[in-house]
Structure formats: structure tokens, C-alpha cells
Amino acid sequence: GYSGTPPDCISDIPGVAPIIVEGMCSQRSGLKGKFEPVARTASGRPWYKKANGATLYFDPNHWGVVQNFNNWLFGGQEPSTTATNNLNGVPGAYFGLSEDLTTQNGYPVGGGDLPPFGTTTWTVNCGGTDTQVEVTITEIKVELSGSNTGKCAVSGSCFSSLNYGYDEECTFTVFEGGVLDVISFNTEECCDKLAVGGVEYEGTIGPEGVTVSAGDQITWSSD
């Protein structure tokens, strides 16, 4: 099994899962894809970052003291975790703003403790023009299900059995489809196996890049 320092596959924010963003206009295609939770801002809400540097966070007042706009917004800078408004330091700067039922001066206002999941309308700066765009945000999650033994654990979209022992039996159920990203995989060949979609993986060859769908079950067993 895996030995040494556990790999960093667990979110730094317990209970907050990575998210997938879909939709967007072609000019903002860089905002599509997987965002990982990084930390919490002064408002207590998590902020997220994509591998290309794009960010998603809640700003209680992204215009600073001039206006009172509070939105989830996409940006290109990491937000301050201590400031209480204008978290990127540039008043009114954004790639996209979350919509709500209330507007001020024609701009959307509103935000909850987490980003608006599901499909909602955002005001997105597409090529210099604010455009109403349907954006879909979903959490990536997998959970333990059934009767399980051993060190199996789940946090957000990461599942593992670090430093596993004898006679483990675990079932992980996928609730959001996606592609598996193997952080570390090292089992006893012949006997300790992870099964995904009817295919068994053992030794140091894990299910990297394998696509799973909502409802799929992944099983782990050791002798």
C-alpha cells in the first residue's frame, strides 16, 4: 500500500468539494473546467482556483466603497483573504458576475455561502461586452456506500485507503461523473485490487484517465 506522507489530494477546506464549470461564451472558455477550493476569504466563503490561474470567489462589494454590489465572480487574480470588499484590489473588475433576482443599476446582485450550483444566468464580459450567459456549476463528489472495512476515506472528490491493511472491502459510489485523476497508486499485485467499470487495477497501474458516470460504483479489496 501507500507509505510515507499522504498525497495532497484532500481539500484544504473540509466539506468543500472541487467544482466543474460549464457554459461560458467562447471568449471566456478559460473559465470552463475544474476549480479546486483553496481557502476561505474574510466573509467565511471558500474561493476556488483553476490550473490556468482563473479564480472564483464571493466579493461582498467588488466596487469597494463606491457601490454595494455583492456577487460571486470569476476573475484572473487571487482574492485577498483579509479584505472585506474589493477583494482583487481593482474596483469593478471581473470576468463574470453571478445573477440574482435583485439588480442595482442594471447589474446583478447576490450570493450565497457557496457558488450557485446548477444552471444559472451570469453577466459575463465576452470580448469587452457584458453578456447574459447560462453557466452550469456542479460539485465533484464520491461517497462511501454500503458496508466498508479498513481505512477507506472520502473527502470531496478524493477517495483513498492510505497505508491500507489486511482484508479491506470498500465501495465508493460516484455522484458526479468525470475523469479519474490518480494521485498515488501502489498495491500488492495479484491480491489487492481496485475495480472500476469491471476492470481491475493492481500494482502501480491505476485507473488514470478513466471516465466514470453518476451512479457508478468503484470497489476496493485487499487480502
Side-chain angles (χ1 to χ4, degrees):
Y2 183 85
S3 61
T5 303
D8 184 17
C9 64
I10 305 299
S11 167
D12 290 333
I13 310 178
V16 180
I19 59 175
I20 293 290
V21 176
E22 300 173 288
M24 292 294 171
C25 52
S26 59
Q27 296 91 335
R28 293 299 180 193
S29 60
L31 300 179
K32 297 168 64 175
K34 182 180 180 181
F35 284 73
E36 296 278 359
V38 178
R40 293 188 185 274
T41 61
S43 72
R45 295 172 174 86
W47 71 272
Y48 303 78
K49 187 175 183 179
K50 193 181 170 191
N52 65 1
T55 56
L56 172 63
Y57 57 91
F58 178 83
D59 197 324
N61 189 348
H62 70 274
W63 275 101
V65 297
V66 179
Q67 302 281 355
N68 186 28
F69 295 114
N70 57 96
N71 304 86
W72 281 91
L73 63 86
F74 288 100
Q77 297 173 282
E78 295 187 1
S80 167
T81 56
T82 57
T84 57
N85 61 66
N86 189 22
L87 270 56
N88 65 8
V90 184
Y94 61 87
F95 292 159
L97 294 175
S98 61
E99 281 278 20
D100 203 346
L101 298 178
T102 305
T103 61
Q104 290 182 2
N105 300 331
Y107 287 89
V109 179
D113 291 337
L114 291 172
F117 297 131
T119 301
T120 56
T121 303
W122 287 62
T123 296
V124 181
N125 188 304
C126 300
T129 302
D130 281 345
T131 306
Q132 303 300 294
V133 177
E134 296 295 297
V135 176
T136 301
I137 300 178
T138 54
E139 290 183 288
I140 307 173
K141 284 189 175 181
V142 60
E143 294 185 1
L144 277 168
S145 57
S147 177
N148 300 281
T149 60
K151 299 179 180 179
C152 294
V154 169
S155 178
S157 61
C158 184
F159 61 95
S160 63
S161 182
L162 302 179
N163 299 314
Y164 70 85
Y166 299 110
D167 301 319
E168 290 195 359
E169 295 284 345
C170 303
T171 300
F172 303 96
T173 297
V174 177
F175 286 91
E176 296 286 350
V179 177
L180 296 180
D181 179 17
V182 177
I183 306 298
S184 179
F185 193 89
N186 187 1
T187 74
E188 181 185 7
E189 293 189 46
C190 85
C191 306
D192 304 339
K193 303 175 181 180
L194 184 75
V196 183
V199 179
E200 294 183 336
Y201 299 86
E202 57 188 334
T204 58
I205 306 300
E208 176 66 29
V210 173
T211 299
V212 293
S213 302
D216 284 356
Q217 290 192 326
I218 299 170
T219 60
W220 158 250
S221 63
S222 66
D223 70 351

